[in-house]
Amino acid sequence: MDYFSLFPLVCALITSLIAYQYWRSLQFVHFMPGLRPLLSPLSPFGMLLPNHSLLNPGSTWHWSARNSSAYLNKTHDIISIVPLMGSVSYYTCSFDVMKQILSADIRLHTEKPYDMTLERLFGPSLASVNGESWRRHRRVVQPAFSNKLYESIGNEVANIYQSMMESKDWRDCKQIEFLESHDFMLKFTLCIISKCGFGIDASWNAISSSEKPETHLNHVEAQHYRQNGFTLPEALRIVSQTLIPRIILPNWVYAVPIERLQRMGESWNDLSSYIGTAINDKDLVNYVSKDGDTQDPRECNKDNLLTRLVTSWTLSKSEKHSLSENEVIGNMYTLMFAGHETTASALVSVFALLAIHQDIQEKAFNEITVIQAAQSSESKNIDVNKMTFTKFCLWEALRLYPSANFLPRELTQDMAVDVQMPDAQKVILQKGSWIMFDLISIFRNPHTFPQPNDFEPERWNGIAEHEVGMFGVGPRACIGRKFAQVEALHILSTILTSWKIDILTRPNENREMYKERVLNDAGQVGTAFGLRSVPLRLIRRF
């Protein structure tokens, strides 16, 4: 038999099967208009391979198309994405659609898709689990986000700022230049989450050191890490940049004598060592009794995230609502990343926008000055609850550059939602499909936000906080929302009190050219979305 003569037949059969399956996928979404690429934009290969408008739009296609073709020029509230290779999904640019579904998250039994979480890398966490598991994780983590925690943020911001000024010898500087402001802001926010969230002493000196920093838990002697590896911020940076390769590549690859692969493997191992040492600290575990009360004579802070997680783990055999060691590790990873990268990205965005819009910056500075002048001499920290306009600046920066650029959900049942575009009607979303709440397109939708590309903090005046959806809405909105907001406002007040933020231009570049270059260059920066490169200059006010 001439097998080569069968080759055209086999090819025709495979092509027919692919065409039939693709036709079924189009039927599944009732031929809803949208993108028809070769690769799913959220598949690992779709994220790794070069972007192409037709073949592989990429995970941030909605940013690239924000001013042009996205959502058929903003004429549809929901579109479908039906790739030739990959899963079918819906995307929405409607804030109303997002509220309809996420506000009823629990009742509708929507789930976070496993493939869109970091559970396979880090383990189960509050950010990845669903149903009763989510409720159990929340019962453990939620009480740690207390007023005591929020009150500690102001003190730590002041301490870290002073440490930074001294270690960098900036006290007498008239101006400071940052060719890349991300590194500065990532260190600052890492120091805050490390100290306030996990009791790890991450002073500016320690976090900037080329050696492993010591971990000072609230109530135990410091433990030393080996000194021939990555510092905590270095390990976090590399890990956040290599999430997709880590999912795709097998473990044996990291033993191949290629420096980049070996550095990747070492950074993951070192970060695991940091997390493991923190939660397995024998003194910490020994100070937690079976009834959940700490036995440390120096009164270990029970509101500390690390203490609550470890307490829950030690109770795992006797308590219903406890976490396993694997779940404690998963939450440590998640809270560490979410607690510093997303806030750092938001702060870089608001600093850039304030540097460009000097009039708005001066209004924020004046607000801070008035609040500080009205406070009693006994008040060490500014009352961030009174920083109304500065908070609007933060919200507006997050609207333009949301740190989480989309929120995914998997539908466990058919769902009817009301849409307004292209016509007012009910649309049935199919069980088993994913819907992506596209925060970039939702918060730049001209039907909801007039002049959507303009930085206008006053647009939030009179808007209730639960209507500010950049942290999500409904019962599964970001648990660290208030922590991030309080932290960002303290950092803004600390910097703006002493420094004027200004742009740092290239040779022969004017302000308009800087604005065009910086504000249009956004994408994934580690695990967060934001401006990629923001050179800034700080000029001392007094």
Side-chain angles (χ1 to χ4, degrees), residues 64-190:
S64 304
R66 66 193 182 281
N67 296 324
S68 55
S69 60
Y71 298 88
L72 285 75
N73 294 313
K74 301 296 190 302
T75 60
H76 286 66
D77 284 345
I78 303 177
I79 62 170
S80 67
I81 295 187
V82 184
L84 193 63
M85 300 170 60
S87 302
V88 171
S89 59
Y90 300 101
Y91 276 69
T92 181
C93 65
S94 166
F95 190 31
D96 182 61
V97 170
M98 183 171 94
K99 288 192 292 185
Q100 287 180 57
I101 297 176
L102 293 187
S103 296
D105 230 353
I106 306 302
R107 178 175 58 82
L108 296 174
H109 303 291
T110 59
E111 296 183 348
K112 289 192 174 181
Y114 176 81
D115 289 341
M116 294 304 298
T117 70
L118 300 177
E119 184 170 333
R120 69 172 64 187
L121 294 177
F122 301 141
S125 71
L126 179 66
S128 68
V129 295
N130 298 291
E132 284 302 318
S133 291
W134 172 78
R135 293 181 179 89
R136 178 167 52 84
H137 281 251
R138 190 175 179 87
R139 286 189 190 101
V140 172
V141 176
Q142 176 70 59
F145 289 92
S146 62
N147 288 333
K148 188 173 182 178
L149 175 65
Y150 302 138
E151 289 167 5
S152 71
I153 295 173
N155 292 331
E156 289 307 322
V157 168
N159 292 338
I160 291 164
Y161 175 77
Q162 295 302 325
S163 173
M164 176 185 70
M165 288 289 110
E166 292 171 3
S167 68
K168 293 290 188 180
D169 200 22
W170 286 342
R171 285 195 176 280
D172 298 324
C173 289
K174 298 300 182 184
Q175 67 177 32
I176 305 168
E177 294 185 352
F178 297 99
L179 295 178
E180 181 44 73
S181 52
H182 267 288
D183 292 341
F184 160 73
M185 204 55 70
L186 282 168
K187 286 182 183 178
F188 210 135
T189 55
L190 178 58

Side-chain angles (χ1 to χ4, degrees), residues 21-50:
Q21 185 59 47
Y22 192 69
W23 179 259
R24 291 292 302 272
S25 296
L26 292 172
Q27 285 183 316
F28 181 74
V29 297
H30 301 296
F31 299 95
M32 178 185 289
L35 302 183
R36 305 293 181 256
L38 175 65
L39 297 175
S40 168
L42 296 176
S43 66
F45 288 106
M47 293 181 180
L48 277 177
L49 296 177

Side-chain angles (χ1 to χ4, degrees), residues 185 189 338-348 403 483-484 487-488 491:
M185 204 55 70
T189 55
H340 92 284
E341 286 205 335
T342 53
T343 308
S345 181
L347 282 165
V348 168
S403 298
F483 183 99
E487 175 187 7
I491 292 175

Side-chain angles (χ1 to χ4, degrees), residues 143-342:
F145 289 92
S146 62
N147 288 333
K148 188 173 182 178
L149 175 65
Y150 302 138
E151 289 167 5
S152 71
I153 295 173
N155 292 331
E156 289 307 322
V157 168
N159 292 338
I160 291 164
Y161 175 77
Q162 295 302 325
S163 173
M164 176 185 70
M165 288 289 110
E166 292 171 3
S167 68
K168 293 290 188 180
D169 200 22
W170 286 342
R171 285 195 176 280
D172 298 324
C173 289
K174 298 300 182 184
Q175 67 177 32
I176 305 168
E177 294 185 352
F178 297 99
L179 295 178
E180 181 44 73
S181 52
H182 267 288
D183 292 341
F184 160 73
M185 204 55 70
L186 282 168
K187 286 182 183 178
F188 210 135
T189 55
L190 178 58
C191 289
I192 300 298
I193 188 62
S194 297
K195 183 65 174 180
C196 296
F198 303 112
I200 298 174
D201 181 11
S203 67
W204 195 269
N205 286 329
I207 212 82
S208 302
S209 173
S210 60
E211 297 182 348
K212 292 279 185 179
E214 300 172 352
T215 59
H216 299 272
L217 301 180
N218 291 345
H219 56 288
V220 297
E221 293 299 323
Q223 293 199 18
H224 292 271
Y225 289 102
R226 62 185 176 87
Q227 296 183 359
N228 60 334
F230 292 99
T231 63
L232 179 58
E234 287 172 338
L236 281 168
R237 177 180 56 80
I238 296 173
V239 166
S240 68
Q241 293 173 348
T242 57
L243 293 173
I244 301 303
R246 185 75 179 188
I247 291 173
I248 295 174
L249 298 176
N251 289 335
W252 60 263
V253 166
Y254 305 108
V256 174
I258 298 176
E259 183 180 358
R260 186 173 181 181
L261 290 174
Q262 290 182 337
R263 281 176 56 84
M264 187 191 307
E266 289 169 7
S267 66
W268 280 79
N269 291 337
D270 283 357
L271 186 56
S272 296
S273 176
Y274 279 117
I275 301 296
T277 301
I279 73 165
N280 285 288
D281 186 280
K282 292 180 181 179
D283 293 312
L284 175 60
V285 174
N286 289 338
Y287 283 129
V288 178
S289 68
K290 290 183 179 179
D291 63 3
D293 293 327
T294 57
Q295 301 300 305
D296 182 5
R298 281 163 284 180
E299 297 181 351
C300 166
N301 177 12
K302 194 176 176 182
D303 290 334
N304 178 288
L305 278 167
L306 176 60
T307 307
R308 286 201 59 83
L309 290 171
V310 174
T311 300
S312 175
W313 171 34
T314 61
L315 301 177
S316 60
K317 295 182 180 179
S318 58
E319 296 290 332
K320 178 180 178 182
H321 304 303
S322 59
L323 302 180
S324 67
E325 180 180 5
N326 194 35
E327 290 171 329
V328 170
I329 293 172
N331 279 289
M332 279 283 289
Y333 273 114
T334 300
L335 293 168
M336 185 69 80
F337 276 116
H340 92 284
E341 286 205 335
T342 53

